[in-house]
Amino acid sequence: MLETSSCLSMESRAGLAAAPGALSYYVAFSQLLGLTVVATTGAWLGLYRGGIAWEGALQFNAHPLCMVIGLIFLQGDALLVYRVFRNEARRTTKVLHGLLHVLAFVIALVGLVAVFDSHRQKGSADLYSLHSWAGLLVFVLYLVQWLVGFSVFLFPGAAFSLRSRYRPQHIFFGAAIFLLSVGTALLGLKEALLFKLGAKYSTFEAEGVLANVLGLLLVGFGGTVLYILTRSDWKRPPQAEEQALSMDFKTLTEGDSPSSQ
C-alpha cells in the first residue's frame, strides 16, 4: 500500500512538471488575438456604425459585439480550459469550463434578443439569410451541447461508462460548434458590409478595410484555438488520483475490475 501511494505521488509530481513550454506562448497569443478581435469589433461599430445602444436604431449593433464576445472569445476560452489548467482538480476544471460556456450563452442570448428586437422595430424580415440560418443552428447546437455535457459530466448520477463513450463526441462537437461560430461571424460581417457599402466595398472604403482585418483576426483566433486543441501532446495529463478514483468508481458502479482495462 505504501509503495502504491509513493508511486501515485511520484506520478502526480511528474504530471505537474509535464506542461509544455510552448503551450503558454500559444495560449497567450490566442488571448492577444481574442482581445484584439473584441476591440476591433468595438472600434468598427463605434467608428462606422454609430456605437451601441439598447434602444433605437443602434440596438442592432449589440448583436455583433455580443456574438463576438460570447460565441467567439468566451467559447474559445472555455475550450482552452483543459489545456491551461492542467494540474487543478478535475471537478474544478469542469465547473470552470461549464461556467464559461454559461456566460458565453447568456451574452449570445442578449445579442440574439437585440437583433430580433431591432428587426421588429424596423419592420425588417427575419431568418431569410444564410447567416441567420447558420447563426440559429449555432445557437441551438450550443445549447444542446451544454445541456448534454452538464447531464453527462457534471450531474452526479451519470455512469462512468456513459462519460467515457460520450467524451469523444463532446470534444468533436465542441470544436465543430466553435468553428461554425467563427464561420457564421464571417458571413454576418460580409453581409453587413454589402448591405451598407454595396458597390463601394470594392473601392477599398476604410470601413471595408477595417472589417476585412477583423475577419482575418477572427480566422487567426479560431485557427490558434483549434491548433492548441488538436496538439495531442498538449492535452491535460491524467492525474494519478483521477485514474485511481475512476477505476474505483467503475468497479463499484459497474462491477469491472481495474485489471480488465
Side-chain angles (χ1 to χ4, degrees):
M1 181 69 178
L2 182 59
E3 182 181 350
T4 302
S5 299
S6 176
C7 180
L8 291 177
S9 178
M10 290 175 62
E11 289 179 2
S12 297
R13 287 195 296 270
L16 287 172
L23 173 60
S24 59
Y25 293 104
Y26 276 91
V27 170
F29 181 61
S30 74
Q31 296 310 288
L32 178 61
L33 278 176
L35 291 173
T36 305
V37 164
V38 174
T40 305
T41 303
W44 168 53
L45 294 172
L47 292 172
Y48 299 105
R49 300 289 166 141
I52 299 172
W54 189 250
E55 299 292 338
L58 299 179
Q59 184 179 17
F60 177 85
N61 292 345
H63 172 70
L65 184 62
C66 286
M67 291 306 182
V68 165
I69 294 174
L71 290 183
I72 305 296
F73 182 57
L74 288 178
Q75 183 183 183
D77 277 4
L79 297 178
L80 294 179
V81 161
Y82 285 100
R83 299 296 185 270
V84 175
F85 299 96
R86 303 170 61 81
N87 300 304
E88 285 70 21
R90 188 167 186 86
R91 183 161 187 84
T92 301
T93 311
K94 282 183 182 181
V95 170
L96 178 59
H97 176 74
L99 287 177
L100 280 174
H101 278 307
V102 169
L103 181 59
F105 177 81
V106 170
I107 294 174
L109 181 60
V110 172
L112 195 65
V113 171
V115 71
F116 278 111
D117 274 359
S118 175
H119 284 176
R120 178 178 53 81
Q121 293 171 14
K122 296 177 180 178
S124 302
D126 286 317
L127 299 176
Y128 65 90
S129 66
L130 178 58
H131 167 69
S132 62
W133 286 24
L136 192 61
L137 177 63
V138 166
F139 194 80
V140 171
L141 288 177
Y142 194 78
L143 176 60
V144 172
Q145 169 85 343
W146 190 90
L147 290 174
V148 175
F150 175 83
S151 301
V152 173
F153 296 112
L154 284 175
F155 189 72
F160 178 86
S161 60
L162 176 61
R163 293 176 180 177
S164 298
R165 287 196 299 268
Y166 177 65
R167 185 173 287 108
Q169 285 77 23
H170 184 72
I171 294 171
F172 168 78
F173 281 108
I177 293 170
F178 173 67
L179 291 180
L180 185 56
S181 300
V182 173
T184 302
L186 294 175
L187 284 173
L189 185 61
K190 184 174 182 181
E191 182 179 287
L193 292 174
L194 291 177
F195 279 167
K196 182 181 178 183
L197 298 180
K200 292 182 180 180
Y201 186 27
S202 62
T203 63
F204 293 93
E205 287 281 322
E207 179 181 357
V209 172
L210 179 61
N212 286 348
V213 171
L214 174 57
L216 292 178
L217 289 170
L218 284 165
V219 172
F221 178 70
T224 303
V225 170
L226 185 63
Y227 178 73
I228 295 172
L229 293 177
T230 54
R231 282 286 297 264
S232 59
D233 54 327
W234 288 355
K235 290 182 179 179
R236 172 188 164 103
Q239 305 299 311
E241 292 83 357
E242 295 173 6
Q243 293 177 324
L245 287 172
S246 296
M247 288 189 292
D248 289 344
F249 181 81
K250 191 171 184 179
T251 301
L252 289 171
T253 57
E254 300 181 8
D256 293 340
S257 63
S259 60
S260 67
Q261 304 308 307

